[in-house]
Amino acid sequence: MDKAHIGALRHWHREAAPRVKEAGFDIIYVYAGHGMTLAQQFMLPHLNTRSDEYGGSLENRVRLTRELLEDTRDAVGDTCAVAFRFGIDEMLGPDGMQAAEDGRAVVELLADLPDIWDVNVSDWANESATTRFQPQDRYQNDHLSYVKQVTDKPVVGVGRLTSPDVMQSMLRKGIVDLIGAARPSIAAPFIPRKIQEGCIDEIRECIGCNICAASDGSGIPIRCTQNPTIGEEWRRGWHPERIARRGQATQTLAVGSGPAGLECAMQLARRGYEVTLAEGAMDFSGRVLRESRLPGLAAWRRVADYWLNDLRQRANVRMFAESTLDADQVSELGIEHVFLATGAAWRADGVGRNSRRSPPLIELGADIRCNQTLGRIAPTA
């Protein structure tokens, strides 16, 4: 970028700020996070090789960010808060920005410029890691714990914060002043109110599966494992917690207690129906029970825990495990409305969305064995 390009960028940013204010927003962000924004890239010596006043020393590399913050403040006055999202650690070790070194120095250089510091790690894959790789919802605390010691401005922390106890602990310890909760708010849109009212058991806790992020990355409507209403509030009129009362029928049967069967049974019960839930296995939960036993996925059990806790408190729900039903047995029950949620089996022939034909199978000869310990095919000794 030459000086004209930088000037154009600053002009566009300055022109955008009043439009945000006019649209009714209370907070305007300057971004230097996710590893993809110019302000952040200018700060990083392994990306910024300039030899003018925007390169070289850290103070020079922070110059563009400082100008964007000042331009935004000048454009909107004191009627909107100016927040600064900052990727304080690139998670690249000595090759990238580290929270304890350049990250801290940036906070010191810009301490009083933003109205709010929104601090996270970078890039997005680290900030919003899945449960498998970041099982604890406070994993970013070590990187941002000193920020409030450097600035007097409020600090926001993020990172799949789902536990009310963890959130309150962070506030009490003075690590942050505010909790940023995007994915947790997708799973539980009313999570602040639930915490305030002490209705902790009613929170659908985010499990960090990132199906919401996968939907966004694929350009399809957003989805959530915990909250099936997300993205359908306007198109179908689905409220996250309110559902229409039942019709004339009173009896319903749900067969199968995986995610679909449990959600179906819970919503039918909330509508006022008498619900019978039949499960062929010894335990309820279906695939959730199996998947939550895989390494790093214990949090996925929250999906079933939420449903089962709700259903077991309802007088209009009867639940039967080890109750396999065939078509004749279902008919004998005489229940008018039957919902089958028995799942599906994975295909074993390799045919799928991107492969319409079954790939050729490799026949293993007598001199080949499966090394189960290493998880690979190896020749025999």
Side-chain angles (χ1 to χ4, degrees):
M1 296 175 69
D2 60 26
K3 298 293 180 60
H5 294 145
I6 293 175
L9 172 67
R10 291 181 58 188
H11 171 75
W12 295 332
H13 204 281
R14 186 184 182 97
E15 290 290 301
R19 291 197 291 269
V20 176
K21 173 183 172 182
E22 185 180 352
F25 289 96
D26 301 309
I27 302 175
I28 300 176
Y29 262 82
V30 173
Y31 255 74
H34 307 309
M36 64 184 76
T37 58
L38 277 172
Q40 183 183 22
Q41 291 171 2
F42 263 71
M43 293 183 192
L44 307 176
H46 58 90
L47 296 179
N48 183 346
T49 58
R50 303 176 70 95
S51 59
D52 60 9
E53 66 268 35
Y54 288 95
S57 68
L58 178 62
E59 188 167 5
N60 280 358
R61 288 183 274 119
V62 173
R63 187 181 304 276
L64 178 61
T65 300
R66 178 185 294 277
E67 291 173 342
L68 292 175
L69 286 165
E70 292 172 344
D71 290 345
T72 305
R73 165 64 62 229
D74 291 342
V76 298
D78 58 359
T79 56
C80 288
V82 178
F84 180 45
R85 164 60 68 90
F86 176 45
I88 201 167
D89 197 309
E90 286 187 276
M91 309 291 280
L92 295 176
D95 295 327
M97 177 175 286
Q98 298 181 63
E101 297 178 3
D102 277 5
R104 183 182 184 115
V106 170
V107 180
E108 292 172 345
L109 285 170
L110 304 176
D112 297 325
L113 270 180
D115 295 307
I116 304 170
W117 279 87
D118 189 341
V119 184
N120 68 330
V121 297
S122 192
D123 63 6
W124 193 90
N126 291 314
E127 174 196 351
S128 299
T130 62
T131 322
R132 179 68 179 270
F133 300 105
Q134 287 293 354
Q136 296 185 18
D137 53 6
R138 69 186 89 185
Y139 65 92
Q140 297 196 37
N141 284 2
D142 290 341
H143 302 282
L144 59 91
S145 58
Y146 65 80
V147 177
K148 280 186 59 60
Q149 302 170 20
V150 179
T151 177
D152 294 328
K153 300 301 178 70
V155 176
V156 182
V158 296
R160 201 176 70 252
L161 296 164
T162 63
S163 165
D165 292 333
V166 170
M167 295 180 193
Q168 293 180 57
S169 173
M170 290 173 62
L171 295 172
R172 284 195 300 267
K173 292 178 179 178
I175 298 174
V176 295
D177 300 291
L178 298 165
I179 300 293
R183 288 175 294 171
S185 294
I186 293 171
F190 305 110
I191 188 170
R193 186 186 304 168
K194 299 291 185 186
I195 296 173
Q196 184 180 32
E197 296 175 353
C199 302
I200 306 302
D201 291 342
E202 297 180 14
I203 297 174
R204 294 190 189 234
E205 279 197 52
C206 169
I207 63 171
C209 65
N210 275 12
I211 191 67
C212 56
S215 301
D216 180 59
S218 301
I220 62 175
I222 192 171
R223 290 291 179 263
C224 176
T225 301
Q226 278 282 48
N227 177 12
T229 69
I230 196 67
E232 301 291 354
E233 298 92 338
W234 180 83
R235 190 164 70 95
R236 302 194 188 198
W238 287 357
H239 189 278
E241 298 193 349
R242 294 196 297 266
I243 190 168
R245 296 294 296 173
R246 67 177 176 84
Q248 294 182 349
T250 58
Q251 299 291 325
T252 60
L253 169 66
V255 182
S257 73
L262 290 174
E263 178 72 22
C264 175
M266 184 181 71
Q267 297 300 349
L268 289 170
R270 288 180 173 181
R271 295 189 66 183
Y273 289 98
E274 295 293 325
V275 180
T276 299
L277 177 63
E279 167 58 50
M282 294 179 59
D283 298 302
F284 299 101
S285 305
R287 61 179 291 183
V288 172
L289 197 60
R290 299 191 299 275
E291 291 170 350
S292 63
R293 291 170 179 163
L294 294 173
L297 298 184
W300 287 27
R301 183 58 194 257
R302 296 174 183 169
V303 179
D305 289 343
Y306 172 81
W307 283 314
L308 293 173
N309 178 66
D310 184 280
L311 291 169
R312 285 167 175 159
Q313 296 182 64
R314 296 184 179 275
N316 59 334
V317 176
R318 296 184 300 167
M319 302 169 63
F320 299 95
E322 298 182 277
S323 298
T324 302
L325 299 175
D326 58 25
D328 291 336
Q329 291 170 322
V330 170
S331 180
E332 289 173 4
L333 291 174
I335 298 176
E336 181 180 358
H337 294 288
V338 179
F339 300 85
L340 299 181
T342 52
W346 295 103
R347 292 189 65 145
D349 58 4
V351 175
R353 178 179 178 182
N354 298 314
S355 177
R356 300 302 181 185
R357 296 181 180 179
S358 180
L361 299 178
I362 300 174
E363 295 294 335
L364 300 182
D367 62 337
I368 299 292
R369 64 179 173 83
C370 178
N371 188 325
Q372 294 182 341
T373 303
L374 298 179
R376 61 181 175 85
I377 301 298
T380 55

mmCIF file of all heavy atoms in Angstrom, residues 339-378:
data_model
loop_
_atom_site.group_PDB
_atom_site.id
_atom_site.type_symbol
_atom_site.label_atom_id
_atom_site.label_comp_id
_atom_site.label_asym_id
_atom_site.label_seq_id
_atom_site.Cartn_x
_atom_site.Cartn_y
_atom_site.Cartn_z
ATOM 1 N N PHE A 339 -43.952 -40.186 16.106
ATOM 2 C CA PHE A 339 -42.778 -39.538 15.524
ATOM 3 C C PHE A 339 -41.613 -40.513 15.571
ATOM 4 O O PHE A 339 -41.210 -40.956 16.663
ATOM 5 C CB PHE A 339 -42.430 -38.265 16.302
ATOM 6 C CG PHE A 339 -43.538 -37.251 16.290
ATOM 7 C CD1 PHE A 339 -44.579 -37.330 17.222
ATOM 8 C CD2 PHE A 339 -43.560 -36.228 15.357
ATOM 9 C CE1 PHE A 339 -45.606 -36.406 17.216
ATOM 10 C CE2 PHE A 339 -44.584 -35.298 15.346
ATOM 11 C CZ PHE A 339 -45.618 -35.385 16.267
ATOM 12 N N LEU A 340 -41.103 -40.885 14.415
ATOM 13 C CA LEU A 340 -39.989 -41.822 14.332
ATOM 14 C C LEU A 340 -38.676 -41.047 14.263
ATOM 15 O O LEU A 340 -38.469 -40.260 13.339
ATOM 16 C CB LEU A 340 -40.136 -42.716 13.106
ATOM 17 C CG LEU A 340 -41.385 -43.602 13.067
ATOM 18 C CD1 LEU A 340 -41.398 -44.453 11.809
ATOM 19 C CD2 LEU A 340 -41.486 -44.478 14.306
ATOM 20 N N ALA A 341 -37.830 -41.282 15.228
ATOM 21 C CA ALA A 341 -36.528 -40.615 15.281
ATOM 22 C C ALA A 341 -35.470 -41.654 15.595
ATOM 23 O O ALA A 341 -34.701 -41.536 16.559
ATOM 24 C CB ALA A 341 -36.540 -39.517 16.335
ATOM 25 N N THR A 342 -35.444 -42.701 14.768
ATOM 26 C CA THR A 342 -34.551 -43.831 15.030
ATOM 27 C C THR A 342 -33.210 -43.694 14.329
ATOM 28 O O THR A 342 -32.387 -44.601 14.382
ATOM 29 C CB THR A 342 -35.227 -45.146 14.583
ATOM 30 O OG1 THR A 342 -35.686 -45.001 13.228
ATOM 31 C CG2 THR A 342 -36.418 -45.457 15.474
ATOM 32 N N GLY A 343 -32.982 -42.560 13.678
ATOM 33 C CA GLY A 343 -31.671 -42.301 13.110
ATOM 34 C C GLY A 343 -31.428 -43.036 11.809
ATOM 35 O O GLY A 343 -32.343 -43.573 11.180
ATOM 36 N N ALA A 344 -30.182 -43.058 11.405
ATOM 37 C CA ALA A 344 -29.784 -43.697 10.163
ATOM 38 C C ALA A 344 -28.422 -44.348 10.363
ATOM 39 O O ALA A 344 -27.706 -44.052 11.313
ATOM 40 C CB ALA A 344 -29.720 -42.671 9.027
ATOM 41 N N ALA A 345 -28.067 -45.257 9.452
ATOM 42 C CA ALA A 345 -26.775 -45.930 9.525
ATOM 43 C C ALA A 345 -25.810 -45.274 8.539
ATOM 44 O O ALA A 345 -26.208 -44.852 7.454
ATOM 45 C CB ALA A 345 -26.936 -47.410 9.197
ATOM 46 N N TRP A 346 -24.553 -45.170 8.941
ATOM 47 C CA TRP A 346 -23.542 -44.634 8.043
ATOM 48 C C TRP A 346 -23.348 -45.581 6.865
ATOM 49 O O TRP A 346 -23.287 -46.792 7.032
ATOM 50 C CB TRP A 346 -22.211 -44.476 8.778
ATOM 51 C CG TRP A 346 -22.219 -43.471 9.876
ATOM 52 C CD1 TRP A 346 -22.287 -43.729 11.215
ATOM 53 C CD2 TRP A 346 -22.163 -42.050 9.754
ATOM 54 N NE1 TRP A 346 -22.286 -42.555 11.931
ATOM 55 C CE2 TRP A 346 -22.209 -41.512 11.055
ATOM 56 C CE3 TRP A 346 -22.086 -41.179 8.670
ATOM 57 C CZ2 TRP A 346 -22.159 -40.160 11.314
ATOM 58 C CZ3 TRP A 346 -22.043 -39.816 8.915
ATOM 59 C CH2 TRP A 346 -22.080 -39.324 10.209
ATOM 60 N N ARG A 347 -23.236 -45.040 5.658
ATOM 61 C CA ARG A 347 -22.925 -45.862 4.497
ATOM 62 C C ARG A 347 -21.491 -46.353 4.608
ATOM 63 O O ARG A 347 -20.595 -45.626 5.021
ATOM 64 C CB ARG A 347 -23.093 -45.063 3.205
ATOM 65 C CG ARG A 347 -24.544 -44.705 2.921
ATOM 66 C CD ARG A 347 -24.693 -44.105 1.546
ATOM 67 N NE ARG A 347 -24.376 -45.068 0.497
ATOM 68 C CZ ARG A 347 -25.002 -45.109 -0.683
ATOM 69 N NH1 ARG A 347 -25.986 -44.272 -0.944
ATOM 70 N NH2 ARG A 347 -24.646 -45.993 -1.588
ATOM 71 N N ALA A 348 -21.276 -47.599 4.197
ATOM 72 C CA ALA A 348 -19.952 -48.198 4.295
ATOM 73 C C ALA A 348 -19.307 -48.416 2.930
ATOM 74 O O ALA A 348 -18.251 -49.032 2.836
ATOM 75 C CB ALA A 348 -20.043 -49.535 5.040
ATOM 76 N N ASP A 349 -19.966 -47.916 1.863
ATOM 77 C CA ASP A 349 -19.431 -48.176 0.519
ATOM 78 C C ASP A 349 -18.705 -46.973 -0.076
ATOM 79 O O ASP A 349 -18.308 -46.985 -1.236
ATOM 80 C CB ASP A 349 -20.558 -48.603 -0.430
ATOM 81 C CG ASP A 349 -21.678 -47.564 -0.530
ATOM 82 O OD1 ASP A 349 -21.536 -46.477 0.080
ATOM 83 O OD2 ASP A 349 -22.686 -47.836 -1.200
ATOM 84 N N GLY A 350 -18.530 -45.884 0.713
ATOM 85 C CA GLY A 350 -17.782 -44.739 0.223
ATOM 86 C C GLY A 350 -18.572 -43.763 -0.610
ATOM 87 O O GLY A 350 -18.054 -42.726 -1.026
ATOM 88 N N VAL A 351 -19.854 -44.051 -0.876
ATOM 89 C CA VAL A 351 -20.690 -43.149 -1.667
ATOM 90 C C VAL A 351 -21.167 -42.011 -0.771
ATOM 91 O O VAL A 351 -21.607 -42.238 0.360
ATOM 92 C CB VAL A 351 -21.897 -43.897 -2.279
ATOM 93 C CG1 VAL A 351 -22.818 -42.915 -3.002
ATOM 94 C CG2 VAL A 351 -21.420 -44.976 -3.234
ATOM 95 N N GLY A 352 -21.068 -40.780 -1.261
ATOM 96 C CA GLY A 352 -21.497 -39.637 -0.469
ATOM 97 C C GLY A 352 -21.711 -38.426 -1.343
ATOM 98 O O GLY A 352 -21.862 -38.538 -2.564
ATOM 99 N N ARG A 353 -21.679 -37.273 -0.714
ATOM 100 C CA ARG A 353 -21.980 -36.031 -1.417
ATOM 101 C C ARG A 353 -21.010 -35.771 -2.564
ATOM 102 O O ARG A 353 -21.397 -35.305 -3.633
ATOM 103 C CB ARG A 353 -21.923 -34.874 -0.415
ATOM 104 C CG ARG A 353 -22.171 -33.513 -1.032
ATOM 105 C CD ARG A 353 -22.127 -32.433 0.025
ATOM 106 N NE ARG A 353 -22.326 -31.116 -0.559
ATOM 107 C CZ ARG A 353 -22.305 -29.984 0.138
ATOM 108 N NH1 ARG A 353 -22.114 -30.023 1.436
ATOM 109 N NH2 ARG A 353 -22.479 -28.820 -0.450
ATOM 110 N N ASN A 354 -19.741 -36.049 -2.341
ATOM 111 C CA ASN A 354 -18.729 -35.746 -3.349
ATOM 112 C C ASN A 354 -18.258 -36.968 -4.130
ATOM 113 O O ASN A 354 -17.390 -36.864 -4.988
ATOM 114 C CB ASN A 354 -17.515 -35.082 -2.684
ATOM 115 C CG ASN A 354 -17.884 -33.762 -2.035
ATOM 116 O OD1 ASN A 354 -18.565 -32.946 -2.636
ATOM 117 N ND2 ASN A 354 -17.442 -33.564 -0.806
ATOM 118 N N SER A 355 -18.809 -38.107 -3.843
ATOM 119 C CA SER A 355 -18.439 -39.326 -4.563
ATOM 120 C C SER A 355 -19.699 -40.133 -4.830
ATOM 121 O O SER A 355 -20.249 -40.755 -3.918
ATOM 122 C CB SER A 355 -17.439 -40.153 -3.740
ATOM 123 O OG SER A 355 -17.126 -41.363 -4.391
ATOM 124 N N ARG A 356 -20.168 -40.106 -6.080
ATOM 125 C CA ARG A 356 -21.427 -40.768 -6.420
ATOM 126 C C ARG A 356 -21.257 -42.255 -6.712
ATOM 127 O O ARG A 356 -22.224 -42.978 -6.812
ATOM 128 C CB ARG A 356 -22.057 -40.083 -7.639
ATOM 129 C CG ARG A 356 -22.377 -38.612 -7.414
ATOM 130 C CD ARG A 356 -23.313 -38.409 -6.255
ATOM 131 N NE ARG A 356 -23.650 -37.004 -6.048
ATOM 132 C CZ ARG A 356 -24.368 -36.540 -5.049
ATOM 133 N NH1 ARG A 356 -24.810 -37.379 -4.126
ATOM 134 N NH2 ARG A 356 -24.635 -35.253 -4.943
ATOM 135 N N ARG A 357 -20.036 -42.677 -6.896
ATOM 136 C CA ARG A 357 -19.784 -44.083 -7.167
ATOM 137 C C ARG A 357 -18.915 -44.662 -6.058
ATOM 138 O O ARG A 357 -18.076 -43.985 -5.484
ATOM 139 C CB ARG A 357 -19.063 -44.250 -8.507
ATOM 140 C CG ARG A 357 -19.890 -43.795 -9.704
ATOM 141 C CD ARG A 357 -19.126 -44.024 -10.993
ATOM 142 N NE ARG A 357 -19.893 -43.596 -12.151
ATOM 143 C CZ ARG A 357 -19.453 -43.668 -13.403
ATOM 144 N NH1 ARG A 357 -18.239 -44.148 -13.639
ATOM 145 N NH2 ARG A 357 -20.208 -43.258 -14.407
ATOM 146 N N SER A 358 -19.120 -45.946 -5.821
ATOM 147 C CA SER A 358 -18.337 -46.600 -4.778
ATOM 148 C C SER A 358 -16.898 -46.746 -5.255
ATOM 149 O O SER A 358 -16.642 -47.278 -6.339
ATOM 150 C CB SER A 358 -18.927 -47.966 -4.462
ATOM 151 O OG SER A 358 -18.178 -48.608 -3.456
ATOM 152 N N PRO A 359 -15.928 -46.268 -4.472
ATOM 153 C CA PRO A 359 -14.527 -46.407 -4.886
ATOM 154 C C PRO A 359 -14.089 -47.857 -4.833
ATOM 155 O O PRO A 359 -14.670 -48.674 -4.108
ATOM 156 C CB PRO A 359 -13.782 -45.561 -3.844
ATOM 157 C CG PRO A 359 -14.665 -45.576 -2.649
ATOM 158 C CD PRO A 359 -16.068 -45.608 -3.171
ATOM 159 N N PRO A 360 -13.071 -48.211 -5.623
ATOM 160 C CA PRO A 360 -12.609 -49.610 -5.605
ATOM 161 C C PRO A 360 -12.023 -49.970 -4.249
ATOM 162 O O PRO A 360 -11.376 -49.154 -3.582
ATOM 163 C CB PRO A 360 -11.528 -49.625 -6.703
ATOM 164 C CG PRO A 360 -11.066 -48.200 -6.800
ATOM 165 C CD PRO A 360 -12.285 -47.369 -6.527
ATOM 166 N N LEU A 361 -12.260 -51.200 -3.841
ATOM 167 C CA LEU A 361 -11.733 -51.683 -2.567
ATOM 168 C C LEU A 361 -10.363 -52.313 -2.786
ATOM 169 O O LEU A 361 -10.124 -52.965 -3.804
ATOM 170 C CB LEU A 361 -12.687 -52.701 -1.945
ATOM 171 C CG LEU A 361 -14.088 -52.192 -1.614
ATOM 172 C CD1 LEU A 361 -14.935 -53.333 -1.061
ATOM 173 C CD2 LEU A 361 -14.014 -51.065 -0.602
ATOM 174 N N ILE A 362 -9.461 -52.126 -1.846
ATOM 175 C CA ILE A 362 -8.127 -52.709 -1.924
ATOM 176 C C ILE A 362 -8.144 -54.038 -1.178
ATOM 177 O O ILE A 362 -8.423 -54.089 0.023
ATOM 178 C CB ILE A 362 -7.077 -51.764 -1.322
ATOM 179 C CG1 ILE A 362 -7.065 -50.431 -2.085
ATOM 180 C CG2 ILE A 362 -5.697 -52.405 -1.351
ATOM 181 C CD1 ILE A 362 -6.152 -49.393 -1.455
ATOM 182 N N GLU A 363 -7.890 -55.103 -1.906
ATOM 183 C CA GLU A 363 -7.835 -56.418 -1.279
ATOM 184 C C GLU A 363 -6.483 -56.578 -0.587
ATOM 185 O O GLU A 363 -5.432 -56.373 -1.188
ATOM 186 C CB GLU A 363 -8.019 -57.518 -2.326
ATOM 187 C CG GLU A 363 -9.393 -57.519 -3.000
ATOM 188 C CD GLU A 363 -10.496 -57.856 -2.020
ATOM 189 O OE1 GLU A 363 -10.199 -58.537 -1.001
ATOM 190 O OE2 GLU A 363 -11.653 -57.454 -2.262
ATOM 191 N N LEU A 364 -6.505 -56.925 0.685
ATOM 192 C CA LEU A 364 -5.275 -57.106 1.449
ATOM 193 C C LEU A 364 -4.751 -58.518 1.247
ATOM 194 O O LEU A 364 -5.468 -59.493 1.477
ATOM 195 C CB LEU A 364 -5.514 -56.839 2.930
ATOM 196 C CG LEU A 364 -6.021 -55.439 3.277
ATOM 197 C CD1 LEU A 364 -6.167 -55.312 4.786
ATOM 198 C CD2 LEU A 364 -5.080 -54.374 2.752
ATOM 199 N N GLY A 365 -3.500 -58.627 0.792
ATOM 200 C CA GLY A 365 -2.910 -59.940 0.570
ATOM 201 C C GLY A 365 -2.498 -60.595 1.864
ATOM 202 O O GLY A 365 -2.586 -60.015 2.955
ATOM 203 N N ALA A 366 -1.984 -61.773 1.741
ATOM 204 C CA ALA A 366 -1.589 -62.527 2.926
ATOM 205 C C ALA A 366 -0.418 -61.881 3.649
ATOM 206 O O ALA A 366 -0.190 -62.132 4.834
ATOM 207 C CB ALA A 366 -1.237 -63.960 2.530
ATOM 208 N N ASP A 367 0.362 -61.072 2.918
ATOM 209 C CA ASP A 367 1.534 -60.470 3.543
ATOM 210 C C ASP A 367 1.250 -59.106 4.147
ATOM 211 O O ASP A 367 2.158 -58.370 4.496
ATOM 212 C CB ASP A 367 2.663 -60.342 2.521
ATOM 213 C CG ASP A 367 2.275 -59.439 1.363
ATOM 214 O OD1 ASP A 367 1.053 -59.289 1.142
ATOM 215 O OD2 ASP A 367 3.186 -58.900 0.696
ATOM 216 N N ILE A 368 -0.050 -58.734 4.245
ATOM 217 C CA ILE A 368 -0.443 -57.444 4.807
ATOM 218 C C ILE A 368 -1.287 -57.675 6.052
ATOM 219 O O ILE A 368 -2.159 -58.534 6.079
ATOM 220 C CB ILE A 368 -1.268 -56.619 3.789
ATOM 221 C CG1 ILE A 368 -0.443 -56.339 2.543
ATOM 222 C CG2 ILE A 368 -1.740 -55.322 4.423
ATOM 223 C CD1 ILE A 368 0.717 -55.397 2.762
ATOM 224 N N ARG A 369 -1.004 -56.975 7.104
ATOM 225 C CA ARG A 369 -1.834 -57.041 8.305
ATOM 226 C C ARG A 369 -2.161 -55.627 8.757
ATOM 227 O O ARG A 369 -1.522 -54.663 8.352
ATOM 228 C CB ARG A 369 -1.112 -57.775 9.430
ATOM 229 C CG ARG A 369 0.148 -57.049 9.917
ATOM 230 C CD ARG A 369 0.816 -57.797 11.060
ATOM 231 N NE ARG A 369 2.088 -57.203 11.412
ATOM 232 C CZ ARG A 369 2.225 -56.149 12.215
ATOM 233 N NH1 ARG A 369 1.164 -55.554 12.723
ATOM 234 N NH2 ARG A 369 3.431 -55.667 12.485
ATOM 235 N N CYS A 370 -3.153 -55.494 9.602
ATOM 236 C CA CYS A 370 -3.553 -54.178 10.120
ATOM 237 C C CYS A 370 -2.866 -53.951 11.451
ATOM 238 O O CYS A 370 -3.043 -54.727 12.395
ATOM 239 C CB CYS A 370 -5.068 -54.106 10.286
ATOM 240 S SG CYS A 370 -5.637 -52.540 10.966
ATOM 241 N N ASN A 371 -2.073 -52.906 11.527
ATOM 242 C CA ASN A 371 -1.419 -52.550 12.781
ATOM 243 C C ASN A 371 -2.370 -51.660 13.564
ATOM 244 O O ASN A 371 -2.437 -50.463 13.358
ATOM 245 C CB ASN A 371 -0.108 -51.809 12.488
ATOM 246 C CG ASN A 371 0.702 -51.584 13.756
ATOM 247 O OD1 ASN A 371 0.142 -51.365 14.813
ATOM 248 N ND2 ASN A 371 2.022 -51.642 13.627
ATOM 249 N N GLN A 372 -3.147 -52.263 14.467
ATOM 250 C CA GLN A 372 -4.159 -51.508 15.194
ATOM 251 C C GLN A 372 -3.552 -50.529 16.167
ATOM 252 O O GLN A 372 -4.119 -49.473 16.450
ATOM 253 C CB GLN A 372 -5.083 -52.481 15.932
ATOM 254 C CG GLN A 372 -5.915 -53.338 14.990
ATOM 255 C CD GLN A 372 -6.844 -54.255 15.747
ATOM 256 O OE1 GLN A 372 -6.654 -54.522 16.922
ATOM 257 N NE2 GLN A 372 -7.873 -54.724 15.065
ATOM 258 N N THR A 373 -2.377 -50.823 16.692
ATOM 259 C CA THR A 373 -1.751 -49.921 17.654
ATOM 260 C C THR A 373 -1.408 -48.601 17.015
ATOM 261 O O THR A 373 -1.667 -47.527 17.569
ATOM 262 C CB THR A 373 -0.478 -50.558 18.228
ATOM 263 O OG1 THR A 373 -0.820 -51.811 18.818
ATOM 264 C CG2 THR A 373 0.152 -49.661 19.267
ATOM 265 N N LEU A 374 -0.846 -48.645 15.786
ATOM 266 C CA LEU A 374 -0.446 -47.427 15.109
ATOM 267 C C LEU A 374 -1.548 -46.890 14.199
ATOM 268 O O LEU A 374 -1.442 -45.803 13.674
ATOM 269 C CB LEU A 374 0.811 -47.682 14.285
ATOM 270 C CG LEU A 374 2.059 -48.110 15.073
ATOM 271 C CD1 LEU A 374 3.225 -48.344 14.128
ATOM 272 C CD2 LEU A 374 2.415 -47.030 16.097
ATOM 273 N N GLY A 375 -2.608 -47.693 14.003
ATOM 274 C CA GLY A 375 -3.722 -47.237 13.170
ATOM 275 C C GLY A 375 -3.347 -47.150 11.700
ATOM 276 O O GLY A 375 -3.783 -46.260 10.985
ATOM 277 N N ARG A 376 -2.508 -48.084 11.200
ATOM 278 C CA ARG A 376 -2.114 -48.039 9.795
ATOM 279 C C ARG A 376 -1.948 -49.448 9.264
ATOM 280 O O ARG A 376 -1.909 -50.424 10.004
ATOM 281 C CB ARG A 376 -0.819 -47.249 9.626
ATOM 282 C CG ARG A 376 0.370 -47.841 10.373
ATOM 283 C CD ARG A 376 1.619 -46.992 10.194
ATOM 284 N NE ARG A 376 2.724 -47.481 11.000
ATOM 285 C CZ ARG A 376 3.560 -48.448 10.635
ATOM 286 N NH1 ARG A 376 3.390 -49.044 9.460
ATOM 287 N NH2 ARG A 376 4.545 -48.814 11.429
ATOM 288 N N ILE A 377 -1.863 -49.540 7.942
ATOM 289 C CA ILE A 377 -1.602 -50.842 7.318
ATOM 290 C C ILE A 377 -0.093 -51.021 7.221
ATOM 291 O O ILE A 377 0.618 -50.142 6.762
ATOM 292 C CB ILE A 377 -2.242 -50.906 5.914
ATOM 293 C CG1 ILE A 377 -3.755 -50.670 6.030
ATOM 294 C CG2 ILE A 377 -1.945 -52.232 5.254
ATOM 295 C CD1 ILE A 377 -4.468 -51.709 6.841
ATOM 296 N N ALA A 378 0.376 -52.160 7.628
ATOM 297 C CA ALA A 378 1.824 -52.408 7.597
ATOM 298 C C ALA A 378 2.102 -53.819 7.115
ATOM 299 O O ALA A 378 1.309 -54.734 7.362
ATOM 300 C CB ALA A 378 2.414 -52.212 8.999
#
